[in-house]
Amino acid sequence: MHIVVCIKQVPDSAQIRVHPVTNTIMRQGVPAIVNPYDLFALEEALRLKDQFGGRVTMLCMGPPQAEEALRKCISFGATDAVLVTDRAFAGADTLATSYALTSAIKKIHEEQAVDLVFTGKQTIDGDTAQVGPGIAKRLGWNLLTYVSRIVKVDLENRRIQVERRAEGGVQLLDTTLPSLITMLEGTNEMRFATMDDMLRAARFQVRKWNKDDAGIEDVTKIGLKGSPTVVSKVFGPTPRSEKADMMTVADTSLNDVTLNLLDKIFTQ
Amino acid sequence: RNLELPEHLKSYKGVWVFIEHDRGQVHSVSWELMGEARKLADKLGVQVAGVVMGGPDEKLDDFAKEAYAYGADSCYVMRDPVLKGYRNEPFTKGMTDLVNQYQPEILLLGATTMGRDLAGSVATTLGTGLTADCTELNIDGTTRALAATRPTFGGSLLCTIMTLAYRPQMATMRPRTAPMPRRDDSRTGSITEATLGMVETDIVTKLLDFIPDANRNTVNLAYADVIVSGGKGLKNPDNFKLVWDLARVLGAEVGATRPVVQAGWVEAERQVGQTGKTVRPKLYIAAGISGAIQHRVGMESSDVIVAINTDANAPIFDFAHFGIVGNALQVLPALTKAFEARLAKQIRKVA
Ligand SMILES: Cc1cc2nc3c(=O)[nH]c(=O)nc-3n(C[C@H](O)[C@H](O)[C@H](O)COP(=O)(O)OP(=O)(O)OC[C@H]3O[C@@H](n4cnc5c(N)ncnc54)[C@H](O)[C@@H]3O)c2cc1C
Ligand SMILES: Cc1cc2nc3c(=O)[nH]c(=O)nc-3n(C[C@H](O)[C@H](O)[C@H](O)COP(=O)(O)OP(=O)(O)OC[C@H]3O[C@@H](n4cnc5c(N)ncnc54)[C@H](O)[C@@H]3O)c2cc1C
């Protein structure tokens, strides 16, 4: 079984600060991590590899330093890693991102036929959940979003059955391979890296592909040029104009505070 | 990069809303979007249409009537046995064909598991821009383009995104982000019937079963009128019972912050915020909650926010309407008692 797992390197949003004057993200010193949602995709892929044998190829589009994120995934047990990196990809929106990643997946598919592509549910920075559906559509493969459980894989008959989270319930879907799965969070727990894999990761040569290596056919479809969305304005949330109407328990009795609050709520 | 709208796309007119339904009911997010679509269309001087797709034995005509009541001028209705129960393949084809034939300038969908799945596929097939999880939709004065605003980096920043040189302009919005529009049952509209042109054997993916959630009808946080939420400031699950007590007296739902959910004090369905639910109740009581941006984006549209916190400088007081600086372990029971007395008095008055 050959599985491709797409991961994005993102700034650790727990440590993101916004510049109070310029309203820009202060990235300096903010550690970059593997998008947390993507780890559920990776773990699920590794479990399939444990069960069926085969390879897990990691794929990431990003700046050269994203190599670190891929190396992290190798330490968990992934087989191979490709970093698609080229200035020409800068400024990509989701449409341009899915185009570039699809080209790279086709290249990987030429090396060895791919059975499944995994992505995370969404990222913690762009946060659109659009790249997975975009890749599936471009590959013409079946799209399975918000998968909460892989029920069974039948490699012989090339079929897969999954549970997919829907509003108010779960869909049980049956389809063919190859498919693209976007994995729901909280569905599994990432394994610990073994000492062997950590050592392998430290020496691992991540393959770096520029736009030609990635097989990009139409350069007008990548990067800023290939992006239909235009960010026209970035700004901070508006603070509420009036401050909260404050009451302090230490100053007045608890009883007075609660009665006072109730009067105010009921007159609203 | 080309930012001019090419000549052949200038004829794209009108605002569309995808009417999402499942097992006989339209998802409220579709009507919330209808309200927003009406405002956008009025600014542009164009019409609003709903897109209703489903099986021949589903109440699609009733959904169309509801769509008119919430602001649509017309509906495109596609009935086909393969459209019963959502699947990506037939819905993407149906929606894409409709767009290519009738050419709307704007297409809005709910940011639900169905809407996001469909929107991403449709936008890719059409090669157009899609803005995710918007909190505000407007029309840009100079370009007449859709100006879609969305929070990023967990709400610490907002950005406005436009699709200038492609049509349609697509956007998704989360449930409860926009208010529910007023319903006017005297409004009517026209139906355009459309055909899908696909048979079951064309479709690879089979929907074998739908397993409804066990607690489906018990937790309905997004649409609750009153919510009492508790945070890590309550210290332990035992103290968290005080939140339930107050909620019971108020007939309210119970909400929580992410750390509370992660600690296992309540179910994940009760998480309010960026990675939980967006809520807009009439009254939101936040006890022992600091008011982090990721929590704030999920509840700041509540009509009245009451915050109880020991720290007078807690960020939650920056956007609460009423603040009580005090120990929630004392204030919550006091509120429970006071509300109980007040509500009993009101009931006596009515009786
Ligand atoms: C503030 C901000 C707002 C944005 N808003 C929009 C918008 O509304 N519409 C739009 O089209 N673009 C938007 N973008 C651009 C978008 O973030 C980029 O296109 C990004 O490259 C991919 O989108 P995402 O982060 O939303 O990924 P998602 O679609 O949320 O990611 C889903 C999955 O796809 C995979 N994946 C995503 N990116 C990569 C990658 N580079 N390499 C490998 N795998 C990947 C991962 O498995 C991930 O879990 C925005 C960007 C920013 C910074
Ligand atoms: C990617 C990402 C996504 C996230 N998504 C969400 C989300 O969807 N929802 C969410 O809620 N959070 C989310 N978070 C977490 C968020 O950043 C905050 O950590 C969280 O909201 C804080 O929870 P809290 O207010 O319960 O706890 P704390 O921040 O620990 O605050 C506890 C508060 O209780 C007060 N307190 C202490 N004792 C008492 C007392 N006896 N009486 C009254 N007050 C008292 C304290 O002064 C303090 O203000 C997310 C974080 C990340 C990084």
Side-chain angles (χ1 to χ4, degrees):
Chain A
M1 191 171 213
H2 187 196
I3 304 172
V4 171
V5 182
C6 300
I7 61 142
K8 188 180 183 187
Q9 191 187 44
V10 296
D12 186 349
S13 91
Q15 298 189 40
I16 276 281
R17 292 286 171 273
V18 173
H19 193 282
V21 180
T22 58
N23 265 332
T24 47
I25 302 282
M26 299 195 286
R27 283 173 192 269
Q28 300 92 312
V30 178
I33 54 172
V34 178
N35 176 40
Y37 290 108
D38 299 349
L39 295 177
F40 300 104
L42 174 56
E43 173 60 27
E44 208 61 31
L46 291 172
R47 287 183 187 186
L48 290 175
K49 181 172 103 90
D50 292 345
Q51 197 182 341
F52 295 99
R55 300 162 61 80
V56 171
T57 303
M58 306 305 301
L59 174 63
C60 176
M61 178 178 92
Q65 43 302 6
E67 184 178 354
E68 270 322 299
L70 287 167
R71 199 163 272 138
K72 180 95 195 164
C73 299
I74 295 290
S75 79
F76 289 122
T79 323
D80 192 6
V82 174
L83 175 64
V84 176
T85 184
D86 197 310
R87 289 199 160 219
F89 293 124
D93 73 358
T94 55
L95 194 72
T97 300
S98 71
Y99 180 79
L101 291 173
T102 303
S103 294
I105 292 169
K106 285 181 182 161
K107 278 274 162 192
I108 295 169
H109 188 61
E110 278 169 24
E111 296 175 352
Q112 188 193 337
V114 175
D115 302 292
L116 275 175
V117 176
F118 275 95
T119 74
K121 180 180 93 169
Q122 64 193 58
T123 63
I124 60 168
D125 58 349
D127 191 12
T128 65
Q130 288 168 195
V131 170
I135 297 173
K137 204 43 51 186
R138 290 180 184 283
L139 287 168
W141 294 2
N142 309 305
L143 170 64
L144 301 166
T145 51
Y146 305 102
V147 169
S148 50
R149 189 163 79 93
I150 294 177
V151 182
K152 62 175 181 214
V153 179
D154 179 352
L155 269 185
E156 214 161 288
N157 295 302
R158 308 217 29 91
R159 294 204 79 85
I160 182 167
Q161 218 174 78
V162 302
E163 286 181 0
R164 168 179 187 270
R165 165 104 323 252
E167 305 299 311
V170 169
Q171 287 184 320
L172 180 63
L173 294 170
D174 185 272
T175 194
T176 55
L177 298 175
S179 286
L180 182 141
I181 289 176
T182 86
M183 201 68 203
L184 202 65
E185 77 275 19
T187 42
N188 57 39
E189 213 163 308
M190 192 35 139
R191 63 194 57 198
F192 289 106
T194 63
M195 191 47 90
D196 277 354
D197 281 329
M198 283 203 273
L199 290 173
R200 192 168 73 90
R203 295 188 305 262
F204 192 83
Q205 292 291 319
V206 169
R207 295 197 275 161
K208 297 203 184 91
W209 288 358
N210 64 21
K211 65 179 194 317
D212 299 321
D213 303 326
I216 300 297
E217 284 169 8
D218 185 350
V219 288
T220 67
K221 288 194 173 153
I222 58 168
L224 195 63
K225 221 194 270 168
S227 300
T229 61
V230 178
V231 178
S232 73
K233 196 167 75 171
V234 180
F235 54 104
T238 28
R240 268 171 50 84
S241 44
E242 72 273 35
K243 265 295 251 185
D245 184 347
M246 301 288 279
M247 294 159 263
T248 305
V249 174
D251 301 344
T252 352
S253 84
L254 184 58
N255 201 24
D256 288 348
V257 167
T258 48
L259 292 180
N260 194 350
L261 174 69
L262 255 58
D263 280 336
K264 286 176 175 167
I265 289 174
F266 280 104
T267 52
Q268 274 265 330
Chain B
R1 145 160 103 134
N2 179 21
L3 298 179
E4 286 288 320
L5 187 63
E7 210 51 46
H8 73 279
L9 294 177
K10 287 189 178 152
S11 56
Y12 278 61
K13 279 272 160 344
V15 183
W16 283 14
V17 175
F18 171 66
I19 313 277
E20 167 172 347
H21 63 95
D22 215 351
R23 279 149 300 126
Q25 253 200 330
V26 174
H27 196 300
S28 308
V29 71
S30 303
W31 306 141
E32 292 157 15
L33 284 168
M34 196 58 83
E36 296 306 294
R38 187 71 258 169
K39 288 184 235 164
L40 297 173
D42 289 345
K43 276 181 204 154
L44 290 165
V46 299
Q47 301 242 300
V48 175
V51 178
V52 187
M53 301 161 82
D57 58 341
E58 294 187 279
K59 302 184 292 179
L60 306 187
D61 293 311
D62 293 355
F63 300 160
K65 280 202 196 96
E66 264 188 283
Y68 307 141
Y70 285 114
D73 300 302
S74 65
C75 280
Y76 295 91
V77 177
M78 202 178 254
R79 299 168 218 270
D80 196 300
V82 306
L83 292 171
K84 181 147 189 191
Y86 175 77
R87 280 180 296 173
N88 179 271
E89 213 175 331
F91 273 76
T92 301
K93 175 172 187 324
M95 181 59 97
T96 313
D97 288 352
L98 279 175
V99 166
N100 283 329
Q101 185 172 358
Y102 297 103
Q103 312 192 329
E105 60 198 297
I106 294 173
L107 170 58
L108 307 176
L109 303 93
T112 57
T113 53
M114 190 192 296
R116 282 171 146 205
D117 183 280
L118 180 61
S121 308
V122 169
T124 309
T125 312
L126 295 169
T128 192
L130 169 59
T131 308
D133 279 21
C134 303
T135 50
E136 211 184 307
L137 300 172
N138 223 319
I139 299 295
D140 178 57
T142 40
T143 56
R144 293 174 62 80
L146 175 69
T149 299
R150 61 177 306 236
T152 57
F153 288 105
S156 37
L157 268 189
L158 293 145
C159 63
T160 303
I161 294 180
M162 299 202 275
T163 295
L164 295 171
Y166 301 82
R167 290 293 179 269
Q169 308 159 80
M170 293 181 59
T172 63
M173 205 176 213
R174 275 178 136 196
R176 283 313 233 171
T177 314
M180 192 74 174
R182 284 233 343 250
R183 186 183 170 124
D184 175 0
D185 283 311
S186 69
R187 289 192 85 250
T188 56
S190 59
I191 283 190
T192 304
E193 297 277 347
T195 48
L196 175 65
M198 228 178 179
V199 290
E200 186 56 45
T201 45
D202 295 337
I203 302 163
V204 177
T205 303
K206 305 295 172 197
L207 176 56
L208 301 183
D209 200 3
F210 186 94
I211 308 133
D213 292 336
N215 56 0
R216 168 142 211 246
N217 300 314
T218 50
V219 187
N220 194 358
L221 207 56
Y223 289 91
D225 277 336
V226 183
I227 295 174
V228 186
S229 275
K232 247 338 194 9
L234 294 170
K235 311 259 182 352
N236 62 51
D238 251 3
N239 292 338
F240 200 87
K241 291 205 184 93
L242 300 173
V243 170
W244 286 96
D245 291 343
L246 178 55
R248 206 166 300 122
V249 166
L250 291 171
E253 274 294 355
V254 167
T257 59
R258 186 164 85 157
V260 164
V261 167
Q262 282 174 336
W265 300 359
V266 296
E267 318 85 297
E269 287 78 22
R270 300 199 180 273
Q271 185 182 318
V272 173
Q274 187 211 348
T275 45
K277 298 268 179 349
T278 301
V279 301
R280 50 187 309 142
K282 297 199 173 79
L283 175 62
Y284 189 94
I285 300 178
I289 293 178
S290 59
I293 189 73
Q294 292 92 350
H295 188 75
R296 175 178 175 171
V297 292
M299 44 66 79
E300 64 186 334
S301 327
S302 308
D303 291 345
V304 176
I305 299 169
V306 175
I308 307 159
N309 200 304
T310 38
D311 175 6
N313 296 316
I316 191 132
F317 292 128
D318 295 341
F319 56 96
H321 301 85
F322 300 110
I324 298 182
V325 181
N327 184 349
L329 305 182
Q330 293 165 354
V331 177
L332 279 174
L335 274 176
T336 306
K337 237 170 70 194
F339 269 115
E340 210 161 20
R342 174 73 68 108
L343 293 172
K345 208 159 68 189
Q346 276 190 338
I347 290 163
R348 241 178 287 132
K349 237 191 286 171
V350 176

